[in-house]
Amino acid sequence: METLRSFVGGRWVAGSGSPQTLLNPATEEPLAQVSSEGIDLAAALGHAREVGGRALRGLTFAERGALLRGIADALQEERDALLQLGIANGGNTRSDAKFDVDGAIGTLLAYVDVANALGARKFLVDGDGLQLGRSARFHGQHIAVPRRGVAVHINAFNFPAWGFAEKAAVALLAGMPVLSKPATSSAMVAHRIMQVVVEKKLLPEGALSFLVGAPRDLPAQLGAQDVLAFTGSGDTGARLRALANVIRHSVRVNIEADSLNAAVLGPEAEPRSDMYELFLKDVVRDMTQKAGQKCTAIRRILVPREIFLSVKDDLVELLTPIKVGNPAEEDTRMGPLATKSQLEDAHKGVALLKGRLAFGDLERRPKGYFLSPILVESPGEAVHEHEVFGPVASLLPYEANAAELVARGNGGLVCSLYSEDQAFLEETIHAVAPFHGRVFIGHPKIELSPGPGTVLPQLVHGGPGRAGGGEELGGARGLALYLQRVALEGPRPSIQKLLG
Ligand code: NAP
């Protein structure tokens, strides 16, 4: 069985101690083992800060962008192998695996464009210069420079390729070295990506390190110039935020956590209309793509009370033919959950919702972590409080209270609205926007719409409250996490010379 190794201090290192075993979640077959025990984390962080940081800060944005292009091209060449690993270790169908790997490549390329637009500078010039006194000589200018620490990226299990890329692209472009830690259960894809980066020498030494296996006390070793960007459960996020060193040294922390994303079908929707059909299609895609293990997946389906039964019947009809099975088989439309504990959590979560199953069942198969798509109706209040991270969504009727129901989720990544009623849209957008990082407006005439569940690198990703309060991506906006904004004030000629 393969042993996955970490890449720290410029070399591959295997951990000691008893390893964790990575499985194929469809067959429970062991695939690889991993341990991070015994790896010198302080030395790993030190090497990244010193060697990687210096190398990256010496490059312009355009040069850092060229490095990202190299990674994107290499992942494109390795695409088939990565898809196979996503199928075997992630329980992904081929289409799910493409969503992850192509998303990673697309995000890297989007940041190549950002890099090229920023050009030959090594730091950001933020806004225009300002005259500060009576004389034009007293001048002010904001700039943003790379922080001198290391960006530690802790990723969730569901997007091992995209999760790596969406964080690493931004930090590397900003000029900060990265130590990336994938979730252990699905680490084989990220591990292969790291192998490719090392084998092809795509980055300067120290720019990218990789820790596979348990995080141990990695976050507790971070200091004032470091950044911690975490994606995962709200509970882990809260623990990280409360670490003594994080509080004492004001370690910059970005948390991407849970979300009870709502999709609202507008009050004017007619069954069989194009808008109605688009709504159903997006709901079913979000329930089943990656077996519902997407942080942006629709969890609450809000429909006008008058057409509740029609929506329910149509969703049941669309969910019925979806074949759940081993994603290695071609006709499988939905694979298993990623791990046994995710399956157990999903079972507990469905019970917590206290609703009636309009579709699906909780039967377990003798092998594999399978769960059928589950459509819940008449759920209890927990539908606004508990995220079931699987192919599970709840159907809720609304009258005039759609926005109020959406806001009960207490902060989410995305809310999607399916309506052409401009007054309804405007009122609802104003009401739900403060609670979300993104509002998606569905329209049948938008060709090849990716739906609300797809995170685009040009737009910010994150959300307030339950979603962790973080913000990533958003084109050049994402760089802010890794840069220190500094206000320069003084003689205008000196400042202007510095800016070049
Ligand atoms: P999790 O248990 O919090 O794990 C996430 C990551 O944190 C893994 O890499 C894990 O490592 C690591 N980790 C666990 N405990 C840690 C600790 N004490 N210190 C440092 N790192 C620690 O989350 P999960 O249950 O696997 O992921 C599912 C959740 O992620 C869902 O709730 C979902 O909503 C959320 N999610 C959010 C987004 C977003 O963008 N907002 C995206 C995807 C997923 P090990 O694997 O080694 O334990």
Side-chain angles (χ1 to χ4, degrees):
M1 192 174 15
E2 187 184 0
T3 297
L4 305 188
R5 291 182 298 165
S6 295
F7 187 80
V8 292
R11 61 195 183 94
W12 290 104
V13 190
S16 53
S18 61
Q20 283 173 262
T21 303
L22 278 59
L23 303 177
N24 178 327
T27 62
E28 301 184 33
E29 171 203 358
L31 298 174
Q33 56 183 12
V34 57
S35 166
S36 63
E37 277 311 307
I39 292 176
D40 185 342
L41 299 180
L45 292 168
H47 181 266
R49 287 184 194 112
E50 291 305 316
V51 181
R54 197 176 326 112
L56 286 167
R57 287 193 303 275
L59 302 177
T60 64
F61 286 114
E63 288 166 336
R64 294 175 206 152
L67 299 177
L68 300 183
R69 174 169 286 283
I71 302 175
D73 291 346
L75 297 194
Q76 188 63 46
E77 277 174 35
E78 193 66 15
R79 184 170 176 270
D80 268 338
L82 292 170
L83 298 184
Q84 286 311 319
L85 286 172
I87 292 168
N89 180 215
N92 294 179
T93 61
R94 192 172 164 84
S95 148
D96 291 342
K98 283 186 198 165
F99 190 55
D100 184 30
V101 173
D102 293 344
I105 296 169
T107 302
L108 285 159
L109 291 176
Y111 275 90
V112 174
D113 290 343
V114 174
N116 290 337
L118 295 174
R121 283 188 195 283
K122 294 180 180 167
F123 60 88
L124 269 189
V125 177
D126 178 351
D128 294 332
L130 305 158
Q131 181 173 327
L132 296 174
R134 284 184 175 221
S135 131
R137 197 159 251 284
F138 189 27
H139 189 71
Q141 174 70 56
H142 290 95
I143 61 170
V145 297
R147 291 165 74 96
R148 290 290 171 111
V150 54
V152 167
H153 292 165
I154 298 182
N155 286 317
F157 68 84
N158 54 346
F159 285 102
W162 179 82
F164 156 78
E166 61 105 21
K167 284 185 168 55
V170 185
L172 293 171
L173 178 57
M176 267 195 97
V178 170
L179 189 157
S180 187
K181 191 210 107 50
T184 303
S185 60
S186 63
M188 292 180 78
V189 172
H191 183 262
R192 182 63 203 137
I193 290 175
M194 190 67 207
Q195 283 181 324
V196 170
V197 170
V198 174
E199 280 161 15
K200 297 192 181 236
K201 297 189 173 40
L202 298 175
L203 287 172
E205 185 176 346
L208 181 63
S209 310
F210 181 76
L211 180 74
V212 69
R216 297 180 29 227
D217 68 343
L218 179 70
Q221 300 205 19
L222 300 183
Q225 285 288 312
D226 298 322
V227 174
L228 175 61
F230 166 82
T231 297
S233 65
D235 287 347
T236 311
R239 236 176 289 142
L240 294 176
R241 216 195 281 284
L243 287 172
N245 62 309
V246 167
I247 295 168
R248 186 171 318 114
H249 302 302
S250 312
V251 177
R252 202 175 270 181
V253 175
N254 193 73
I255 306 273
E256 300 287 346
D258 312 350
S259 185
L260 295 163
N261 311 297
V264 184
L265 182 59
E268 83 288 7
E270 294 280 349
R272 309 282 149 262
S273 65
D274 290 348
M275 185 67 86
Y276 179 92
E277 297 296 339
L278 174 72
F279 175 79
L280 297 181
K281 188 169 134 240
D282 283 357
V283 167
V284 170
R285 173 172 44 201
D286 265 16
M287 286 181 69
T288 55
Q289 189 172 47
K290 294 201 71 95
Q293 299 165 112
K294 272 188 331 193
C295 52
T296 48
I298 296 165
R299 307 286 176 206
R300 298 178 297 159
I301 310 163
L302 272 60
V303 300
R305 188 174 289 283
E306 315 79 74
I307 56 167
F308 181 86
L309 288 178
S310 157
V311 174
K312 181 173 99 170
D313 290 347
D314 289 332
L315 284 176
V316 168
E317 193 179 320
L318 290 169
L319 291 168
T320 301
I322 288 183
K323 186 184 166 225
V324 179
N326 187 336
E329 289 160 17
E330 231 168 66
D331 58 342
T332 293
R333 289 269 308 278
M334 193 178 95
L337 300 197
T339 62
K340 188 171 178 216
S341 71
Q342 288 294 328
L343 179 64
E344 282 163 3
D345 283 354
H347 276 259
K348 282 185 210 145
V350 172
L352 264 179
L353 292 179
K354 290 200 165 77
R356 209 178 71 72
L357 301 196
F359 182 84
D361 61 68
L362 292 164
E363 258 166 54
R364 294 200 188 207
R365 298 195 187 178
K367 273 260 177 271
Y369 311 131
F370 295 100
L371 181 63
S372 77
I374 292 183
L375 181 66
V376 177
E377 65 173 311
S378 314
E381 192 54 26
V383 71
H384 305 298
E385 290 158 6
H386 187 78
E387 179 197 51
V388 186
F389 207 59
V392 180
S394 300
L395 189 57
L396 303 159
Y398 75 85
E399 278 158 17
N401 60 343
E404 188 264 319
L405 289 173
V406 172
R408 273 200 229 164
N410 195 23
L413 296 172
V414 56
C415 171
S416 46
L417 307 175
Y418 295 80
S419 175
E420 286 190 90
D421 177 337
Q422 188 64 19
F424 170 80
L425 280 178
E426 286 181 22
E427 191 186 326
T428 313
I429 288 170
H430 284 297
V432 302
F435 299 91
H436 293 86
R438 182 158 58 90
V439 176
F440 173 94
I441 305 163
H443 196 284
K445 292 222 164 72
I446 299 178
E447 278 170 37
L448 300 175
S449 162
T454 299
V455 172
L456 300 172
Q458 300 88 340
L459 300 180
V460 292
H461 172 58
R466 180 190 309 284
E471 188 176 293
E472 292 183 331
L473 298 171
R477 287 176 190 82
L479 300 181
L481 181 62
Y482 303 101
L483 299 171
Q484 179 61 40
R485 184 166 18 223
V486 186
L488 295 176
E489 59 177 323
R492 181 173 156 153
S494 311
I495 291 176
Q496 286 191 329
K497 263 190 215 135
L498 178 105
L499 302 186

